């Protein structure tokens, strides 16, 4: 019998690591939540949507938006890697109680509030809300546009609709910027919550100057 040819040994390529896709959820399925669901549907990205209502109550609206919009329970929604808060501001603390530890989760705060600053410990609203989600990476975003504007296609001739992001965690903001780009938006990072982030948050009854500004960023 002849000698068998030796089998070539292959060295694993570190650049070919298995990519685990991110999972997404929107908590709150009112006008803002549905507008954001439309963005996911347009981009053919699956997203779980949940609210206090049971999933079957959300099904007709979800099906009308697209097959990638999947109604679920709140307990199912908080399993996602990236979670958009589109609830009324006064409801965020109840959502925070769904998990004891939010480590590994990225929370996008799409909420607004005119609550007096004294009731928010004199903090920007996002910094105050973040305290209810211990361990989470917390980013303000998608909050400055009216729901009817947010629901429309962000891709326009020569550019994309701007979404402003702010966070005390730059890496988290970069992650959310990638999500925004996948949805067709042009993310603009404003800095920390109490710095540029103040431009898109209310301070008591005074809205930040960038609230409701519908801007577009042209492609270079």
């Amino acid at each position: 019998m002849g000698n068998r040819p030796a089998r070539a040994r292959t060295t694993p390529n570190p650049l070919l690591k298995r990519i685990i896709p991110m999972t997404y959820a929107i908590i709150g399925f009112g006008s803002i939540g549905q507008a954001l669901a439309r963005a996911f549907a347009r981009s053919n990205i699956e997203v779980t949507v949940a609210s206090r209502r049971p999933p079957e109550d959300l099904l007709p609206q979800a099906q009308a938006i697209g097959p990638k919009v999947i109604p679920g329970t709140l307990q199912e929604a908080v399993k996602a890697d990236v979670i958009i808060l589109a609830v009324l501001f006064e409801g965020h603390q109840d959502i925070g109680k769904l998990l004891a530890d939010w480590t590994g989760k990225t929370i996008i705060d799409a909420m607004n509030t005119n609550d007096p600053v004294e009731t928010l410990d004199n903090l920007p609203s996002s910094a105050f809300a973040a305290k209810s989600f211990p361990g989470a990476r917390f980013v303000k975003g998608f909050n400055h546009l009216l729901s009817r504007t947010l629901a429309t296609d962000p891709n326009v001739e020569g550019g994309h609709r701007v979404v402003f992001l702010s966070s005390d965690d730059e890496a988290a903001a970069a992650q959310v910027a990638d999500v925004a780009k996948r949805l067709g938006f042009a993310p603009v990072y404003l800095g920390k919550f109490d710095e540029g982030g103040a431009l898109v948050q209310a301070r008591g009854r005074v809205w930040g100057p960038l609230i409701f500004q519908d801007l577009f960023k042209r492609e270079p």
Side-chain angles (χ1 to χ4, degrees):
M1 295 177 63
N3 293 330
R4 291 182 180 179
R7 292 182 179 178
R9 294 184 179 181
T10 58
T11 302
N13 187 341
L15 299 179
L16 298 179
K17 291 180 180 179
R18 181 168 174 253
I19 298 174
I20 301 175
M22 302 290 287
T23 54
Y24 304 95
I26 301 168
I27 296 181
F29 204 49
S31 58
I32 293 294
Q34 290 181 43
L36 288 164
R38 290 183 186 280
F40 279 88
R42 274 192 302 268
S43 300
N44 200 35
I45 300 172
E46 184 172 298
V47 63
T48 299
V49 295
S51 75
R52 294 181 184 277
R53 293 181 289 161
E56 55 267 26
D57 286 1
L58 310 183
L59 187 60
Q61 293 164 310
Q63 288 181 328
I65 295 172
K68 291 289 187 177
V69 180
I70 311 299
T73 64
L74 290 172
Q75 288 74 21
E76 290 169 335
V78 298
K79 294 178 182 178
D81 301 309
V82 178
I83 301 165
I84 304 177
L85 287 181
V87 299
L88 294 175
F89 187 80
E90 53 266 30
H92 77 271
Q93 291 175 325
D94 289 335
I95 303 301
K97 294 174 183 176
L98 293 172
L99 293 177
D101 184 0
W102 290 80
T103 299
K105 308 290 183 182
T106 298
I107 307 293
I108 303 175
D109 172 15
M111 304 179 293
N112 286 311
T113 182
N114 289 120
D115 287 354
V117 294
E118 295 78 12
T119 66
L120 305 178
D121 298 339
N122 287 309
L123 295 170
S125 62
S126 287
F128 179 83
K131 296 195 298 181
S132 294
F133 299 84
R137 309 169 80 191
F138 212 83
V139 181
K140 189 77 168 180
F142 297 97
N143 69 296
H144 85 283
L145 294 169
L146 295 170
S147 59
R148 63 176 179 268
T149 303
L150 191 60
T152 60
D153 193 336
N155 297 286
V156 297
E157 187 175 347
H160 301 269
R161 176 170 282 115
V162 167
V163 290
F164 295 110
L165 306 178
S166 59
S167 179
D168 292 345
D169 183 334
E170 288 189 26
Q175 180 192 24
V176 174
D178 287 339
V179 175
K181 289 176 183 176
R182 291 189 66 195
L183 297 179
F185 293 92
V188 174
Y189 178 58
L190 298 176
K192 294 183 177 182
F193 293 138
D194 62 352
E195 297 174 346
L199 298 173
V200 288
Q201 300 194 53
R203 189 70 175 164
R205 293 290 175 181
V206 180
W207 289 103
L210 292 180
I211 286 283
F212 309 131
Q213 298 296 313
D214 188 16
L215 306 175
F216 290 85
K217 185 176 180 181
R218 291 193 175 276
E219 295 290 350

